[in-house]
Structure formats: structure tokens, C-alpha cells
Amino acid sequence: MKQATEAGRQEPAKLNVNAPEITGLLEALPGYVLLIDEEHRILQTNKAAREIFGIDTKDIIGGYCPKVIHGSDKVWPGCPLEEVIQKGQPVEREVFDEKSGRWLESTISPVQGTTPDGHKIFLHTVTDITAVKQAEKIKDEFLGMVSHELKTPLTIIIGALNTAHTPGISTADVEELLKDALDSAGFLAGMVENLLELSRAKNIRSKIKTEQIDFGEIAWGVAHKFNLRSPKHKICLDMPARLPDIAVDKAKVERILFNLVENAVKFSPTGGEITIAARREGRSLQICISDQGSGITGEDQKRLFQSFEQLASERIAMQGLGLGLSACRALVEAHGGKIWVESNPGRGSNFIFTLPLWSSN
């Protein structure tokens, strides 16, 4: 009986990991692929793995996997090989590789076969998921910022409206409370509009409806709105009596100017002067919004128009997702213009952008 059982057992197939059919299969697999044994020795690999780790074939084959991959003489603590050996089942892990600075999805699976000298073989596949992790991080940060930014104006709106219903409150106090609620509602509307513009950023150029527009009219409307909304600030216009018309989408340019003036109001001292200036520069109209705020450091200027970025120091405590400037960049570039900032700490800031002139041709 015992002899029959032993006779029925099949020895694991002996595999030549250097055989063309095996090396060809490895090359066809996506990501980085290694064949290793139970002693963490690398038996075979594909081109993608050799390139990502910058190692020649002669240096990687037969090498100690922890040394080759992680630069360590010891087995990496997160390595699932021992677990795979014990369970006989594939194990998948997400790991951060400090050597390369990448997030990797690592899977080790047992192979039905052994090397000619009897060592077990395991298929180790590695997929770079750094981009996915970065996207998840941005999403989490974005949701956190949106929740935080929504909470403050909503609290003001709810509190103001509840207080306005208090019996015996004066008409003057009710009007002040309603103004606070309206201002906060306006902030929410602007934030939603900026989010919509950014969500359309990839194909926004196709949505631009160009028409012949007088920029002076747009500037006057925005200045008038902010002079009523923020009487402690003085919004001034500095431009010729007659400017050349521009070829733009009026609603988009109003959003650009509104975002930039709103930004200047937020970060200017109470009662500061904000200037909207415009002049012709070749075939473009150059617009500049100047404030008397605290200015922006060179380091902050480098990341100023990036999505979801907020400035350091005192600006981080102010309302705003940092989406307004990102939306400005997307809208200006959709018109074929450019946008930049000129600023020094303590000397205010100049936000400058260009828009194309209207041509009858």
C-alpha cells in the first residue's frame, strides 16, 4: 500500500528558467517580473525589471533579491515570500520602496515546478502604483479641503439665518446678518464655479465661445461689485479711455478677473487699494491686478497656480481652496494667453495675464 502511494506521487517538474519559452513569457508579462527561489536568489527576470533597477542581466541573475532590489543584506521585513512558502498560495502587498521612492504592488506566487537542482520557484511580479497612490492622496487632500472650506461659510449662513429669526432683533441687525449670509453664499457659489471650470480643464478650449468684447466694461462691472461688497477696500481702474476690443468668452474673463480681485481683497490689509490696469502689448491686451498685501515668497510663487495648493504663512488661514488661481490659469491658457505673478514679500503682488485682441479677419 505504502509503495503504491509513493509510486502514485509525482515529482515536481524540473524547469529550465533559461529556456526560450520561459524567458519569452516573462518578457510578455506587464510590470517588473522576477523568478526567485526559497532562498531569495534571483533565477530569471524580464527587461522591465532590469531597466527599472538599472542592473545588467549578468549582475542580477543569481543575485540576492533583498540586496539587488532593496539594497539590503537582510530580508526586507515586508517580504511575503515566507508566507507564500508556508501557505502555498499567492500573497499580494502594497509597499513603499525607499530606495526608488516608489509605491509598488508586489505579488509572489508559487510555481508548479523546481529548478534542476531541486529549489522551489516563485513568480514575483511588481507593478508601479505610484501614480495611483498620488492620485488617491490628491483626492483625499481635496475632499478634506473641500469639507473644511464648506464648513465655515455654511456655519455662517446657518447661524446668521437662525439669529435673524430671533424675536426682538432690530431691523439693522437683521440686515447685517443677511449680508453676512449673502457674502458666504457668494463665496460658496464662486468655489463651485471654480471647481466646475477645473473639472472641464482638459477640454475647456473647445467650450470657449469667442466674441468681440470691451474689457473696460468687464473691469468696471467687477470693480463696482467689489466696491459694494467690500467697502473697506478701494478698487481702482487704470486704463486708457478706449482700449482695443478682445476676442474672448465674456463669462470666462469675468471669472478670471473676479478670482484675481477676490484674491487681492483677501490678502490685502483692510482698506488697501487694489488696481485693475490694462494696456495693449502687441497683439494682446495685458491686464494687471495689483494689491498692497504682504507679498509672496519666491518659493510660493513656484507652486502658486498648481491645483489644490495654498500659500504658506498667514495665507493658509484665509478662506480659499487655492482653486481660484488654478481656474484662472486654465481659463487664460484656453484663450491662448499667459498668466504669471510678480511679487516680493512686504511689497504687495501683481497678477498679470494676457488675452488676444479682436481681429476683423
Side-chain angles (χ1 to χ4, degrees):
M1 184 71 173
K2 182 178 179 181
Q3 290 179 344
T5 302
E6 289 179 348
R9 290 176 181 171
Q10 292 184 353
E11 290 293 327
K14 303 294 184 180
L15 300 179
N16 178 10
V17 296
N18 297 312
E21 56 269 26
I22 291 182
T23 57
L25 176 62
L26 296 183
E27 294 296 346
L29 292 174
Y32 325 138
V33 183
L34 305 171
L35 288 180
I36 58 177
D37 65 17
E38 69 272 26
E39 296 180 354
H40 299 269
R41 298 293 171 183
I42 299 173
L43 306 174
Q44 192 53 269
T45 183
N46 67 351
K47 182 179 179 181
R50 295 191 295 274
E51 288 181 347
I52 196 65
F53 297 115
I55 303 173
D56 292 334
T57 303
K58 60 182 177 60
D59 297 321
I60 196 171
I61 301 301
Y64 187 50
C65 188
K67 182 69 173 180
V68 174
I69 306 303
H70 303 290
S72 173
D73 293 324
K74 298 181 180 179
V75 175
W76 185 68
C79 181
L81 180 58
E82 296 303 322
E83 185 178 347
V84 176
I85 293 173
Q86 292 176 5
K87 294 182 177 180
Q89 298 291 331
V91 175
E92 180 180 296
R93 296 251 176 90
E94 290 184 0
V95 299
F96 180 74
D97 181 47
E98 295 184 358
K99 181 181 177 182
S100 63
R102 290 185 293 266
W103 274 99
L104 306 173
E105 184 178 78
S106 175
T107 303
I108 297 183
S109 307
V111 174
Q112 297 301 314
T114 67
T115 62
D117 54 0
H119 285 284
K120 295 179 180 179
I121 302 175
F122 301 88
L123 178 67
H124 187 183
T125 60
V126 183
T127 304
D128 190 338
I129 57 171
T130 304
V132 174
K133 285 293 186 179
Q134 289 174 341
E136 289 177 354
K137 181 182 178 183
I138 290 174
K139 180 197 69 175
D140 292 342
E141 290 177 349
F142 170 71
L143 291 175
M145 287 190 293
V146 168
S147 299
H148 174 76
E149 295 295 340
L150 285 174
K151 185 177 181 180
T152 300
L154 283 175
T155 300
I156 294 174
I157 292 171
I158 295 170
L161 294 178
N162 283 334
T163 305
H165 282 86
T166 303
I169 191 169
S170 68
T171 301
D173 286 341
V174 170
E175 290 180 354
E176 187 65 28
L177 288 167
L178 292 178
K179 181 181 180 301
D180 290 342
L182 187 60
D183 287 344
S184 293
F187 170 78
L188 287 177
M191 187 178 76
V192 171
E193 184 63 30
N194 286 328
L195 287 170
L196 290 173
E197 295 294 359
L198 286 175
S199 71
R200 297 190 290 254
K202 288 186 177 180
N203 61 348
I204 195 171
R205 188 180 290 272
S206 64
K207 297 181 181 294
I208 295 295
K209 299 178 181 178
T210 303
E211 54 183 326
Q212 184 177 0
I213 295 296
D214 177 5
F215 177 77
E217 180 182 329
I218 296 177
W220 186 91
V222 172
H224 180 67
K225 183 179 293 186
F226 275 98
N227 277 326
L228 293 176
R229 180 175 169 179
S230 183
K232 293 181 180 179
H233 295 82
K234 184 179 180 181
I235 315 298
C236 304
L237 300 182
D238 179 14
M239 56 188 71
R242 185 71 180 98
L243 283 169
D245 290 338
I246 49 179
V248 298
D249 186 316
K250 183 178 180 181
K252 306 299 186 187
V253 174
E254 286 176 341
R255 170 52 49 189
I256 296 168
L257 196 58
F258 185 93
N259 283 351
L260 293 177
V261 174
E262 183 180 52
N263 188 70
V265 167
K266 288 177 185 177
F267 304 121
S268 293
T270 300
E273 185 174 291
I274 297 163
T275 302
I276 303 175
R279 60 189 175 90
R280 179 172 185 165
E281 283 289 335
R283 297 182 179 180
S284 300
L285 187 69
Q286 181 171 295
I287 300 105
C288 177
I289 290 80
S290 304
D291 65 48
Q292 297 174 331
S294 57
I296 308 169
T297 66
E299 187 63 30
D300 282 333
Q301 289 181 39
K302 294 177 183 178
R303 61 188 182 90
L304 195 56
F305 295 99
Q306 295 178 15
S307 297
F308 316 134
E309 288 285 343
Q310 286 184 297
L311 297 180
S313 65
E314 62 177 326
R315 294 181 174 239
I316 202 70
M318 305 294 287
Q319 282 189 342
L321 286 169
L323 297 178
L325 293 179
S326 298
C328 285
R329 178 182 178 180
L331 292 172
V332 168
E333 291 181 349
H335 283 88
K338 297 179 180 180
I339 186 169
W340 67 96
V341 62
E342 296 175 355
S343 180
N344 289 303
R347 297 183 181 180
S349 303
N350 297 321
F351 282 85
I352 307 166
F353 65 99
T354 61
L355 295 170
L357 296 180
W358 173 264
S359 172
S360 58
N361 295 326

